[in-house]
């Protein structure tokens, strides 16, 4: 347990680790859905503190990683146009499209700006009425109410030079897709705390029933993750399958109702392609028909771009928990954070980048 | 991406009929949209993601998380960003 003393709260961490060891009698596979949790697990060596019979697999919960390649290419095509200000959260700029990334477009003269909030993008639109301002709306349920508010406000304030390039994904349909795959090995899930802050827990109840699956909404601190693992293990060992809330200090069962109302005014559920995985039914949201004038794909009339992923990148199987990053032949050789082949190496929340940063290839 | 950080609401105002406010994050003050926490009052703590308060949390909890500040800052720095997701260049802080 060489890492335990690095915990902010080593005594509590040790107590939970001991409890996990006592509770575990069988082999279990647990998936943390969220990339922030993957990062925390690697950084604190949580995978090495828990019993060997518990395998942690890393889920598709990194929005940067699952944004489809063709969406990135569309972003690049729009950002390269004259008269456009393309705005995005900072972590999308280095994600490789099929040929370039947003940083290259910026260095070639494109007006690409990093913003802190989608409302900042809206402000840029107000200040630059002669430009078309686009916000790259990427993220899970946590981020959807933010982009929804930007679109709603654009509509209310009649800001017509603003649009969204939307690539929003939803977590519960992804769990259904993983569970429906014949290769699935996952016995229980840690659900991402901040996603549940918005959506609440309701959607998970039918999943626990249907797939006999413990699902525990879990926070991001290392001690939260340990506690989430303990709660899943106890359920598995006792033959229970329930929705439990480890992160009750932030997550309420009903979620954030005002946020969901604005999401529903602006967006509708749609099928969505996930990078490396493919199309998952009902797993995304797109702008409602009445909001179509804020849809950048329509505003710029960008035809569907179809592109192939680099052949050697196996990030799709990694995002589904089937393979681990170090099993990829390119890992740490052709593919590094400086020179990423796939999106899971770009974002620090991507499993490949987390394994690389914390040298997980060596001792496995 | 889903990083959300706690801060204290120190000012509430209205802009284009949306509830906005100033949030104090361990000394750094920034604007945030408060439309999704309509019940929030000055002095309460909220969890903020990309300029939007997502939930009201209790003070104890917020203070605990402030201890995590360094760790979160370091994680963001690995991506070349500050804790608010902006590039690590002072003049770009907005
Ligand atoms: S190491 Fe690189 S090439 Fe291999 S799966 Fe990860 S991102 Fe793809």
């Amino acid at each position: 347990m060489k890492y335990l003393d690095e915990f902010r709260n080593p005594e509590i961490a040790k107590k939970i680790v001991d409890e996990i060891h006592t509770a575990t009698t069988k082999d279990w596979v647990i998936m943390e859905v969220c990339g922030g949790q993957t990062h925390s697990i690697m950084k604190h060596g949580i995978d090495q503190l828990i019993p060997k019979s518990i395998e942690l697999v890393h889920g598709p919960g990194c929005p940067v990683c699952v944004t489809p390649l063709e969406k990135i290419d569309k972003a690049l095509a729009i950002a390269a146009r004259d008269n456009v200000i393309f705005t995005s959260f900072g972590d999308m700029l280095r994600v490789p499209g099929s040929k370039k990334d947003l940083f290259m477009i910026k260095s070639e003269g494109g007006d690409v700006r990093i913003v802190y909030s989608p409302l900042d993008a809206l402000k840029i639109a107000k200040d630059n009425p002669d430009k078309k301002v686009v916000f790259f709306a990427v993220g899970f349920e946590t981020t959807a109410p933010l982009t929804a508010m930007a679109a709603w406000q654009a509509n209310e304030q009649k800001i017509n030079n603003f649009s969204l390039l939307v690539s929003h994904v939803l977590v519960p349909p992804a769990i259904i897709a993983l569970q429906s795959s014949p290769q699935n090995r996952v016995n229980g899930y840690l659900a991402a705390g901040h996603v549940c802050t918005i959506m609440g827990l309701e959607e998970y109840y039918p999943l626990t029933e249907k797939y006999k699956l413990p699902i525990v909404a879990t926070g991001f601190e290392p001690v939260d993750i340990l506690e989430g693992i303990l709660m899943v293990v106890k359920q598995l060992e006792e033959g229970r399958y329930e929705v439990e809330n480890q992160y009750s200090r932030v997550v309420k069962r009903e979620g954030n109702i005002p946020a969901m109302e604005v999401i529903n005014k602006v967006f509708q559920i749609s099928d969505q392609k996930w990078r490396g995985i493919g199309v998952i039914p009902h797993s995304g949201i797109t702008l409602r028909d009445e909001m179509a004038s804020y849809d950048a794909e329509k505003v710029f009339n960008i035809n569907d771009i179809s592109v192939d992923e680099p052949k050697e990148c196996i990030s799709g199987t990694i995002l589904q928990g089937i393979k681990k990053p170090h099993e990829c032949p390119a890992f740490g050789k052709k593919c590094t954070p400086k020179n990423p082949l796939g999106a899971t190496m770009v974002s620090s929340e991507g499993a490949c980048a987390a394994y690389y940063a914390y040298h997980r290839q060596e001792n496995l | 991406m889903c990083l959300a950080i706690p801060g204290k609401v120190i000012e509430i105002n209205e802009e284009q009929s949306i509830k906005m406010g100033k949030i104090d994050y361990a000394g750094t003050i920034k604007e945030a949209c408060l439309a999704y926490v309509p019940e929030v009052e000055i002095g309460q703590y909220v969890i903020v993601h990309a300029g939007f308060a997502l939930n009201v949390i209790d003070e104890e909890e917020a203070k605990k998380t402030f201890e995590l500040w360094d760790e979160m800052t370091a994680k963001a720095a690995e991506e070349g960003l500050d804790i608010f997701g902006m590039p690590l260049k002072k003049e770009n802080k907005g």
Side-chain angles (χ1 to χ4, degrees):
Chain A
M1 295 191 187
K2 55 185 171 155
Y3 290 86
L4 255 183
D5 51 348
E6 287 174 18
F7 278 70
R8 194 163 48 88
N9 229 325
E11 307 83 50
I12 298 178
K14 172 152 192 346
K15 194 170 155 270
I16 304 173
V17 168
D18 288 346
E19 271 189 70
I20 297 173
H21 278 266
T22 314
T24 310
T25 66
K26 300 195 186 87
D27 290 350
W28 302 115
V29 178
I30 300 175
M31 175 179 277
E32 84 281 354
V33 175
C34 159
Q37 291 170 336
T38 305
H39 186 99
S40 198
I41 287 168
M42 291 303 136
K43 173 157 188 179
H44 294 274
I46 289 175
D47 54 327
Q48 298 175 344
L49 291 170
I50 58 176
K52 289 223 155 35
S53 54
I54 301 178
E55 186 187 346
L56 295 180
V57 291
H58 319 302
C62 161
V64 178
C65 305
V66 300
T67 301
L69 192 50
E70 48 272 42
K71 200 67 94 171
I72 308 280
D73 279 355
K74 282 182 186 174
L76 300 173
I78 295 171
R81 294 207 186 178
D82 290 339
N83 232 23
V84 165
I85 302 175
F86 193 89
T87 61
S88 167
F89 292 135
D91 38 9
M92 291 308 295
L93 266 67
R94 283 187 52 233
V95 180
S98 50
K99 292 197 186 69
K100 295 178 179 176
D101 61 31
L102 282 167
F103 261 129
M104 291 183 201
I105 300 291
K106 189 174 163 71
S107 63
E108 288 166 12
D111 194 346
V112 178
R113 301 186 193 177
I114 296 175
V115 291
Y116 160 59
S117 156
L119 290 184
D120 294 344
L122 192 60
K123 214 170 269 166
I124 294 175
K126 258 196 260 182
D127 296 343
N128 294 276
D130 53 328
K131 295 272 168 78
K132 288 187 175 166
V133 176
V134 182
F135 179 69
F136 200 0
V138 172
F140 280 106
E141 288 92 330
T142 326
T143 314
L146 286 50
T147 49
M149 181 61 88
W152 186 248
Q153 282 302 316
N155 194 38
E156 292 280 289
Q157 299 176 38
K158 312 242 170 326
I159 302 172
N160 298 325
N161 61 330
F162 178 74
S163 60
L164 298 173
L165 180 61
V166 182
S167 187
H168 275 307
V169 282
L170 304 172
V171 170
I175 293 184
I176 295 173
L178 295 177
Q179 282 306 118
S180 313
S181 153
Q183 287 162 294
N184 173 61
R185 304 182 297 132
V186 180
N187 303 115
Y189 287 87
L190 305 181
H194 291 140
V195 166
C196 301
T197 307
I198 301 299
M199 302 307 278
L201 301 174
E202 265 349 297
E203 282 183 79
Y204 291 117
Y205 287 88
L207 302 189
T208 52
E209 281 299 318
K210 182 168 180 200
Y211 301 108
K212 307 213 179 322
L213 202 61
I215 299 179
V216 177
T218 304
F220 296 83
E221 294 187 41
V223 170
D224 286 330
I225 295 171
L226 283 173
E227 202 178 8
I229 293 170
L230 177 62
M231 289 165 83
V232 171
V233 168
K234 277 192 176 160
Q235 286 201 41
L236 289 169
E237 293 281 345
E238 292 164 18
R240 288 183 293 126
Y241 38 90
E242 293 163 13
V243 178
E244 288 182 316
N245 188 359
Q246 183 278 330
Y247 203 38
S248 57
R249 56 185 201 266
V250 177
V251 172
K252 296 185 218 136
R253 178 167 173 165
E254 70 276 17
N256 185 321
I257 292 165
M260 284 199 278
E261 279 171 3
V262 178
I263 294 177
N264 289 332
K265 277 198 247 184
V266 171
F267 291 119
Q268 61 196 7
I269 306 263
S270 59
D271 296 348
Q272 168 77 25
K273 186 169 179 186
W274 296 53
R275 188 169 192 170
I277 298 179
V279 175
I280 302 179
H282 316 301
S283 69
I285 49 176
T286 42
L287 289 156
R288 289 185 166 280
D289 294 343
E290 57 271 31
M291 299 295 286
S293 58
Y294 299 99
D295 184 341
E297 289 178 60
K298 298 206 170 98
V299 171
F300 294 92
N301 207 358
I302 299 261
N303 290 329
D304 267 345
I305 303 174
S306 167
V307 273
D308 293 323
E309 294 283 344
K311 285 227 165 39
E312 56 252 90
C313 179
I314 60 159
S315 63
T317 51
I318 293 170
L319 290 163
Q320 296 172 70
I322 298 163
K323 287 208 166 150
K324 295 283 176 68
H326 56 85
E327 293 172 56
C328 171
F331 177 85
K333 300 186 184 92
K334 257 179 95 177
C335 181
T336 61
K338 276 224 169 83
N339 222 330
L341 286 182
T344 41
M345 189 58 102
V346 175
S347 163
S348 77
E349 291 180 7
C352 296
Y355 271 60
Y356 189 87
Y358 301 112
H359 309 289
R360 256 332 170 276
Q361 68 277 25
E362 288 153 15
N363 32 22
L364 282 166
Chain B
M1 167 70 80
C2 295
L3 185 67
I5 50 184
K8 184 180 184 172
V9 178
I10 56 166
E11 200 183 298
I12 295 177
N13 51 56
E14 214 163 86
E15 218 178 272
Q16 310 276 359
S17 76
I18 351 178
K19 188 170 180 175
M20 301 289 291
K22 290 218 164 86
I23 315 285
D24 181 347
Y25 307 91
T28 308
I29 293 169
K30 266 179 114 61
E31 275 249 296
C33 176
L34 303 177
Y36 296 140
V37 287
E39 73 281 19
V40 79
E41 290 168 16
I42 288 178
Q44 286 188 309
Y45 286 82
V46 287
I47 289 258
V48 182
H49 167 55
F52 282 71
L54 300 184
N55 226 336
V56 181
I57 54 167
D58 69 38
E59 185 170 350
E60 274 304 291
E61 203 40 61
K63 294 229 161 102
K64 258 194 246 160
T65 319
F66 279 139
E67 295 174 27
L68 269 180
W69 198 257
D70 291 345
E71 191 176 305
M72 294 195 293
T73 313
K75 177 176 177 296
E78 283 166 24
E79 290 178 64
L81 304 171
D82 70 13
I83 193 145
F84 301 107
M86 299 302 287
L88 274 174
K89 264 192 267 153
K90 281 272 181 307
E91 64 269 20
N92 281 350
K93 259 194 176 179

